[in-house]
Amino acid sequence: MTSDDRNTMSQDTPDKPAPAEPSAGAPAARKPRVSKPKVDKTEAGAPAPTEADAPVAEPATAPVPATAAPEPATAFAAPATPTPAAEPAVEEVTAFTLPAGTVLTTGPSVIARWGAEAAGTFVLVLLGVGAAIYASYFGGVLNAALAYGIAALAAAAAWGNVSGGHFNPAITLGTALAGRTSWVDVLPYWLAQLVGGILAGAVLFITIPSGFATAIGKTKTQEVFAAGANGVGEYSPLATLSSGAVKGTVLQALVIEAIATAILAGVVLAVTSKRARLSFAPVAIGLTLTALTLLTIPLTNGALNPARATAAALFSGGDFLGQLWVFWVAPLVGGAIAGFLYRAFSREPVEDNLLEEDDVAVLDEDLLVVETRTV
């Protein structure tokens, strides 16, 4: 082997030293057999495996996503409108103090006032109409007029402090127009007065003896009851007394009833005023009604009260029901006249509801009042 060849091998394997060339004539030396120790590749200091030694990894393939099954087509639904949340209730609390010495007033309940009006009208119709039914046969017209006036006196004294003592739709209208009664009470009072009057008429009708009509030459109980009803013209007491020779007209009846009721309502407003301070107001009202009944009996049998006229007409029937409008229109007009005149010529009226009395209490010490209102 030439030197050039040895140089070439050195360059190809630079990390291996070139073997020493044996000298000429010397025998070739036998290489000792050396066993290589097994080296654990995980031990520290072991040479890192080369890329050629590493196993070739197969390229990873990305998993194919599973295709979801198509959902069945559904109908399009409009988006739900959100329900607004309810606002929480807010409570307003108001507190104030009533000092000692404050006067507190409380009036009767609504039911008590309605009941008083019905009871008072019941007594008024029971005595007034009842006396008129039998007056033609026992005692005459003076008895009927006195019974009517005394009934008004008793009813006003008994129940006037509860309801005011109206017992008459015309009085209720007149006092409302005068500012003495609340308009809220007008219709309920009228209803209570009608109920009381009709109940009294029913009591009178069923208590007339069955043989009484025949004894006085009548055929029906209604004809007996008609002696206490209000009528015009041939149905008036004047026509009955004169056997039809003298008859009043509808206009005359309207005028006398309106004027008489205006006087009655005016007296009621005057004697029940707080400025008058009369303790005998029921007496004045009863005497006035007695006198006005005596005045109006010949022409109309003395109504002055739509509730009294309605109760009598219902149980008399016939033409008395047809003439009932006269005894509503005339008394209501009379009550309205009195109310307007009272308001025009008196000082600012106080809503005291006539004879009605309030319960009065005086505080001995300060009172804390708390009012709660939900908004």
Side-chain angles (χ1 to χ4, degrees):
M1 181 180 295
T2 63
S3 61
D4 290 335
D5 293 336
R6 286 193 298 269
N7 292 337
T8 301
M9 291 180 61
S10 291
Q11 290 177 358
D12 291 337
T13 56
D15 52 344
K16 293 183 179 180
E21 187 179 351
S23 58
R30 189 176 181 179
K31 292 182 180 180
R33 191 171 180 177
V34 179
S35 61
K36 294 182 178 180
K38 292 183 180 181
V39 179
D40 190 357
K41 293 183 179 181
T42 59
E43 292 181 359
T50 60
E51 294 181 1
D53 297 333
V56 178
E58 295 183 1
T61 57
V64 179
T67 304
E71 296 182 357
T74 56
F76 176 76
T81 303
T83 304
E87 296 183 358
V90 179
E91 291 187 350
E92 289 185 355
V93 179
T94 304
F96 57 92
T97 302
L98 296 177
T102 301
V103 179
L104 301 179
T105 59
T106 57
S109 67
V110 173
I111 301 301
R113 290 189 285 121
W114 294 354
E117 281 297 302
T121 310
F122 178 89
V123 170
L124 194 66
V125 173
L126 185 71
L127 297 183
V129 176
I133 290 174
Y134 299 103
S136 301
Y137 318 105
F138 308 99
V141 296
L142 181 60
N143 285 7
L146 283 173
Y148 207 9
I150 293 171
L153 189 160
W159 296 289
N161 62 332
V162 178
S163 66
H166 299 204
F167 316 133
N168 185 336
I171 300 297
T172 302
L173 178 63
T175 56
L177 290 171
R180 299 278 302 278
T181 298
S182 171
W183 282 101
V184 176
D185 291 330
V186 173
L187 290 179
Y189 269 35
W190 283 10
L191 180 60
Q193 291 155 3
L194 286 173
V195 169
I198 292 171
L199 287 176
V203 170
L204 289 172
F205 188 82
I206 64 177
T207 54
I208 295 176
S210 58
F212 185 69
T214 304
I216 61 175
K218 306 292 182 181
T219 58
K220 296 185 299 184
T221 303
Q222 281 185 322
E223 294 178 358
V224 176
F225 202 95
N230 303 109
V232 180
E234 61 181 322
Y235 298 100
S236 65
L238 186 60
T240 302
L241 183 63
S242 63
S243 300
V246 181
K247 301 177 183 178
T249 65
V250 172
L251 179 60
Q252 291 172 332
L254 287 170
V255 171
I256 195 68
E257 283 283 328
I259 292 176
T261 308
I263 294 172
L264 176 63
V267 170
V268 170
L269 287 168
V271 299
T272 57
S273 172
K274 299 301 182 184
R275 295 187 296 273
R277 299 182 182 278
L278 297 179
S279 59
F280 55 88
V283 176
I285 294 171
L287 291 177
T288 302
L289 182 57
T290 299
L292 292 173
T293 302
L294 285 171
L295 171 66
T296 55
I297 278 179
L299 285 176
T300 63
N301 209 17
L304 286 75
N305 186 334
R308 175 248 193 269
T310 300
L314 284 176
F315 294 96
S316 299
D319 291 327
F320 292 100
L321 283 172
Q323 294 182 347
L324 181 59
W325 68 270
V326 175
F327 304 103
W328 272 90
V329 173
L332 290 179
V333 169
I337 291 172
F340 283 127
L341 291 176
Y342 181 86
R343 190 150 196 154
F345 294 103
S346 67
R347 291 181 294 177
E348 188 66 23
V350 178
E351 190 176 292
D352 55 7
N353 202 17
L354 303 183
L355 294 171
E356 182 179 326
E357 295 181 0
D358 297 327
D359 295 330
V360 180
V362 181
L363 295 179
D364 295 331
E365 55 185 15
D366 293 349
L367 175 64
L368 177 63
V369 180
V370 179
E371 296 180 350
T372 303
R373 185 171 66 94
T374 302
V375 295

